[in-house]
């Protein structure tokens, strides 16, 4: 439980600190580039006498969320939700994507994924065939060494069953499904 306002100011000593909403700028580094993130309305505490401002613990999280949005990267909660929708544990997804289990955990808890990892995650979430490919690669490390010019060549390489959709079925294939029960992403 939070103490009732007003609080005593750590700077000027007056009992004059109350809740406020302030503009906030954070400096965040992502992939060796420094970004300034501006937030118009950050919850904070402000001293009415000396003007001292302190932002809450969630300021960093809000700044990272904003930077993700600016850079067009998947939000942390979307990564978490989609992984759970696909019934994959963190270590299972990490093994499929060839990243560390800690990376998955970090991405779901605020640390911002690289742009290339973001592409990998998007492909994995959006396209059942990508999930199938990565699953197959666990047993067949050579997958991806040859260029397949069309779907039939790809189907042959993976020895997919005859009912695997390869032509005009993209709309149905984009349906996110439980891969354990429906490994080929077929609409039911
Ligand atoms: Zn003060």
């Amino acid at each position: 439980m939070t103490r009732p306002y007003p609080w005593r100011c750590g700077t000027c000593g007056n009992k004059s600190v109350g809740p406020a909403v302030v503009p906030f700028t954070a400096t965040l580094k992502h992939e060796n580039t420094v970004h300034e993130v501006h937030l118009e309305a950050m919850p904070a505490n402000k001293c009415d006498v000396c003007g001292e401002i302190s932002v809450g613990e969630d300021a960093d999280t809000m700044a990272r969320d904003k930077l993700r949005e600016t850079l067009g990267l998947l939000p942390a909660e979307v990564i978490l939700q989609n992984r759970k929708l696909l019934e994959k544990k963190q270590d299972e997804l990490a093994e499929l994507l060839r990243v560390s289990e800690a990376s998955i955990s970090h991405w779901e808890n605020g640390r911002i994924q690289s742009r290339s990892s973001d592409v990998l995650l998007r492909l994995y979430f959006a396209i059942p065939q990508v999930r199938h490919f990565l699953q197959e690669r666990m047993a067949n490390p050579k997958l991806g060494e040859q260029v397949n010019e069309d779907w039939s060549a790809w189907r042959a390489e993976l020895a997919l069953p005859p009912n695997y959709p390869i032509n005009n079925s993209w709309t149905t294939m984009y349906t996110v499904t439980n891969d354990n029960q429906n490994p080929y992403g077929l609409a039911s």
Side-chain angles (χ1 to χ4, degrees):
M1 221 177 96
T2 313
R3 287 176 296 134
Y5 291 106
W7 299 352
R8 189 169 300 284
C9 176
T11 302
C12 70
N14 289 294
K15 211 170 179 186
S16 52
V17 174
V21 176
V22 298
F24 180 77
T25 299
T27 303
L28 297 173
K29 199 172 175 186
H30 180 254
E31 294 195 89
N32 295 318
T33 302
V34 176
H35 299 269
E36 275 209 344
V37 179
H38 304 281
L39 294 153
E40 289 304 316
M42 174 67 68
N45 293 312
K46 184 177 181 182
C47 173
D48 286 337
V49 175
C50 72
E52 178 76 9
I53 291 169
S54 62
V55 295
E57 292 171 357
D58 52 355
D60 281 346
T61 305
M62 288 175 70
R64 282 197 298 262
D65 287 351
K66 176 77 176 179
L67 182 57
R68 276 183 141 111
E69 190 186 325
T70 305
L71 298 177
L73 302 171
L74 289 171
E77 66 269 21
V78 170
I79 298 172
L80 174 67
Q81 283 165 12
N82 286 355
R83 177 178 62 75
K84 293 199 162 172
L85 195 63
L86 292 167
E87 299 188 352
K88 286 280 180 278
K89 293 176 185 159
Q90 286 183 340
D91 62 334
E92 293 170 336
L93 181 58
E95 195 175 6
L96 287 166
L97 302 185
R98 312 289 169 112
V99 300
S100 70
E101 187 180 346
S103 290
I104 304 287
S105 173
H106 290 321
W107 298 338
E108 292 178 355
N109 287 286
R111 191 180 300 176
I112 305 175
Q113 66 274 18
S114 67
R115 289 168 299 166
S116 57
S117 296
D118 192 74
V119 169
L120 189 57
L121 288 166
R122 284 171 190 271
L123 289 171
Y124 185 82
F125 291 143
I127 306 178
Q129 286 87 342
V130 170
R131 300 198 289 274
H132 184 74
F133 175 92
L134 291 173
Q135 196 69 51
E136 289 294 310
R137 200 190 156 209
M138 307 279 275
N140 182 359
K142 286 194 170 298
L143 287 182
E145 288 184 6
Q146 78 174 47
V147 173
N148 293 320
E149 296 286 356
D150 55 32
W151 288 104
S152 58
W154 183 71
R155 180 164 73 171
E157 189 185 8
L158 267 73
L160 294 174
N163 66 339
Y164 193 81
I166 58 167
N167 294 320
N168 308 314
S169 312
W170 279 101
T171 48
T172 54
M173 285 191 292
Y174 269 115
T175 311
V176 174
T177 56
N178 178 343
D179 287 6
N180 298 327
Q181 286 151 25
N182 188 2
Y184 304 118
L186 291 163
S188 50

